[in-house]
Amino acid sequence: MSIKNNRLTTAEYQENFADIHPPFETSDAALTEANRCLFCYDPPCMKSCPTSINVPKFIKQIATENLKGSAHTIFASNIMGAGCSKVCPVEKLCEGACVYNMMHEEPINIARLQRYSTEKAMANKWQLFDRKPSKGKKVAIVGAGPAGLSCAHTLSREGIDVTIYEKEAKGGGLMTYGIAAYKVTPEFCEDEVNYITSIGGIEIKYNQEFGKDVTLEYLQQNYDAVYMAFGVGLARQLDIPGEHLEGVEDAIKFIYELRDNDYSKIAVGDKVAVIGMGMTAIDAATQAKRLGASDVTLVYRRTQAEMPCTQKELDIAKLDGCKITWLASPKEIIGNNGKVSQLVCDVMKLGEPDASGRRSPIVSGETFTIDVDMVIKAAGQMPFQSLVNANNIENNNGKIAVSGKSATKLAKVFAGGDCVNGGKEVVDAVQAGKDGAAAILKTIVSPDYIIESELKPTFNN
């Protein structure tokens, strides 16, 4: 067993990392699917979308071949609608709420239709929004991820000049650096960022790390408001012996390396264990398999009933040949010459529900050992607690505390997205950005300020 790169041929890499959710091949296919929609009067699909996209309206617009109108309907609610169509867990959101499910029929392929019109808009560079005249106000945003970009675009549309400070060399946040490449490519993410900023009035300053290259004091002195959207990023540690052996990797770092390099350059073990069962764990496991690992095992301390990932994501891992070990928790990583050789796990049993509502895993007293040469930690991410403490931002174990939806206790400082909620879906971050923009506008322009996204949606074609 060994960790090495270049395990596969170029053709195999290309096949393994091809688009897992291919778009409609023809416009006729999209029209046929759009015309299946019942255009519900009180659509449950729309209610289940965190950004409240008017799903029946945009599908009706596709059905009537009004693609610009369809894209506008989507982007008016979710400026990252193109990316969300690729990465959203739609099976538990819009498509999961489709009325066809109650009739035991295939739900409308909402994500694929959303992708159809939004990608047309991006490819043709349709500028669907006009900026309002400048209001002479400036806002700084920390982080060019989904929350930051959403806030920036909403503010820019309203005539606010926005500067985003981003620590990485590219925008997009976890969309760019933390999601498996077979779902969304770095090239697409760059195109999406460029499309969002093409409205004008948004400047992104890259390689500017908050707390190091730019301070909160500076931002407060030079801008009318500040929006904190720097996400989460610290890998949760296992706190077990052997965790620092060669071959133990953080899942986000493992995915990040693939996003920033050629597939053949990414080293992977022959026998890999992935700790966790969230979306990131699934992405890490499937990525390892697609990079050429012969054996990948997902280790989770609860049962399938409590897993945080969706069934659809789990099915992807299973189809890739990943194994699942339920009711197991890592106890120790054993090494040989400083390198990972075995993973010792406690056999768990479930007790009473904990604060999350899921039954608590309890050590049974039994253990088992599996041979591995790589362990990938995907047990969750922690907030940047030291960063928020250093800036005297009120927080709850590192998660920024807000009143309403985004206001902090610091004057004209707002926050949203993962740095507030601890880590949710991309679509939740987009909505947080909209909420932040609305709160900022009410603070620096007028308490009565209303933006388009706050208006009740209509079902006009």
Side-chain angles (χ1 to χ4, degrees):
M1 298 191 298
S2 64
I3 298 176
K4 61 182 182 180
N5 60 4
N6 207 26
R7 288 180 176 271
L8 306 175
T9 66
T10 299
E12 287 173 322
Y13 283 124
Q14 290 176 342
E15 180 182 355
N16 286 354
F17 288 94
D19 195 336
I20 196 171
H21 301 301
F24 288 111
E25 293 183 2
T26 65
S27 58
D28 286 344
L31 287 171
T32 299
E33 182 65 14
N35 279 294
R36 287 184 59 228
C37 185
L38 300 176
F39 310 118
C40 301
Y41 173 75
D42 190 25
C45 53
M46 181 177 171
K47 292 180 178 179
S48 69
C49 174
T51 58
S52 300
I53 292 175
N54 194 330
V55 177
K57 181 178 180 179
F58 93 70
I59 294 178
K60 182 68 172 179
Q61 288 168 316
I62 292 175
T64 56
E65 301 187 64
N66 178 9
L67 286 187
K68 278 191 177 181
S70 176
H72 181 274
T73 296
I74 296 165
F75 287 140
S77 294
N78 182 348
I79 194 57
M80 297 192 77
C84 285
S85 72
K86 295 169 178 279
V87 305
C88 261
V90 292
E91 60 273 16
K92 69 177 184 181
L93 297 174
C94 56
E95 292 183 17
C98 179
V99 295
Y100 272 116
N101 291 299
M102 292 185 288
M103 295 184 283
H104 306 289
E105 293 187 28
E106 189 72 20
I108 301 298
N109 201 324
I110 298 170
R112 209 171 175 192
L113 288 168
Q114 181 169 311
R115 177 176 177 177
Y116 176 68
S117 58
T118 54
E119 287 193 349
K120 288 283 187 184
M122 288 175 56
N124 290 288
K125 295 181 170 56
W126 292 336
Q127 186 49 258
L128 303 172
F129 303 95
D130 294 320
R131 291 193 73 207
K132 292 181 179 179
S134 175
K135 291 181 170 57
K137 300 289 185 178
K138 300 188 303 179
V139 171
I141 295 176
V142 180
L149 289 168
S150 173
C151 183
H153 191 271
T154 305
L155 290 172
S156 179
R157 279 162 51 187
E158 300 300 318
I160 306 296
D161 293 322
V162 178
T163 302
I164 304 178
Y165 292 85
E166 169 56 48
K167 71 175 181 178
E168 301 290 352
K170 297 178 182 179
L174 284 182
M175 279 287 290
T176 297
Y177 291 105
I179 295 176
Y182 55 79
K183 292 181 180 177
V184 58
T185 67
E187 293 77 20
F188 170 84
C189 292
E190 185 173 1
D191 289 344
E192 186 169 45
V193 172
N194 290 337
Y195 184 74
I196 291 169
T197 57
S198 68
I199 190 175
I202 303 172
E203 179 187 8
I204 303 180
K205 294 188 175 183
Y206 293 108
N207 301 306
Q208 295 291 302
E209 184 174 347
F210 179 62
K212 179 180 178 183
D213 301 301
V214 62
T215 65
L216 181 57
E217 181 182 11
Y218 170 83
L219 298 179
Q220 289 175 300
Q221 290 175 351
N222 289 275
Y223 294 89
D224 296 291
V226 181
Y227 184 67
M228 315 296 287
F230 48 74
V232 292
L234 301 174
R236 192 175 302 280
Q237 301 302 298
L238 302 177
D239 294 326
I240 60 174
E243 186 168 3
H244 301 293
L245 288 168
E246 183 179 339
V248 180
E249 294 279 357
D250 164 34
I252 291 293
K253 180 177 180 295
F254 181 57
I255 295 170
Y256 182 113
E257 291 296 322
L258 180 66
R259 305 285 290 175
D260 212 33
N261 290 282
D262 181 78
Y263 303 136
S264 64
K265 295 180 181 179
I266 308 303
V268 69
D270 185 50
K271 294 188 176 182
V272 181
V274 178
I275 312 302
M277 193 54 75
M279 298 296 201
T280 300
I282 296 291
D283 280 359
T286 53
Q287 175 173 295
K289 205 74 171 71
R290 292 173 186 229
L291 285 169
S294 63
D295 187 285
V296 176
T297 302
L298 283 148
V299 176
Y300 183 53
R301 59 183 184 161
R302 290 184 168 99
T303 70
Q304 185 170 347
E306 292 82 29
M307 68 181 185
C309 74
T310 66
Q311 184 62 47
K312 189 173 181 179
E313 293 288 322
L314 180 63
D315 290 343
I316 291 172
K318 287 182 175 180
L319 286 170
D320 276 1
C322 298
K323 302 174 184 176
I324 319 294
T325 300
W326 306 104
L327 289 172
S329 181
K331 181 179 183 178
E332 180 182 3
I333 302 172
I334 297 173
N336 184 11
N337 294 322
K339 299 180 180 180
V340 171
S341 61
Q342 291 181 314
L343 174 67
V344 181
C345 294
D346 281 312
V347 175
M348 311 299 285
K349 58 183 180 180
L350 294 182
E352 296 300 315
D354 60 14
S356 72
R358 296 176 297 173
R359 295 177 65 190
S360 302
I362 301 171
V363 175
S364 70
E366 300 178 41
T367 64
F368 65 92
T369 302
I370 55 176
D371 294 330
V372 294
D373 53 15
M374 188 175 196
V375 175
I376 301 176
K377 299 181 290 184
Q381 291 176 275
M382 299 182 295
F384 295 106
Q385 185 163 4
S386 60
L387 182 63
V388 295
N389 284 337
N391 285 279
N392 297 314
I393 303 173
E394 185 177 357
N395 65 92
N396 178 22
N397 296 320
K399 293 186 291 185
I400 297 177
V402 298
S403 59
K405 293 182 178 179
S406 58
T408 73
K409 286 199 172 181
L410 299 177
K412 296 185 179 180
V413 177
F414 303 81
D418 288 356
C419 65
V420 170
N421 62 42
K424 289 188 176 181
E425 307 295 345
V426 171
V427 68
D428 293 294
V430 173
Q431 182 58 42
K434 290 164 55 183
D435 292 336
I440 289 169
L441 288 164
K442 291 179 188 298
T443 300
I444 68 174
V445 179
S446 166
D448 301 320
Y449 201 94
I450 300 293
I451 58 178
E452 181 183 354
S453 61
E454 294 182 296
L455 299 175
K456 186 177 180 180
T458 60
F459 186 63
N460 297 322
N461 185 38

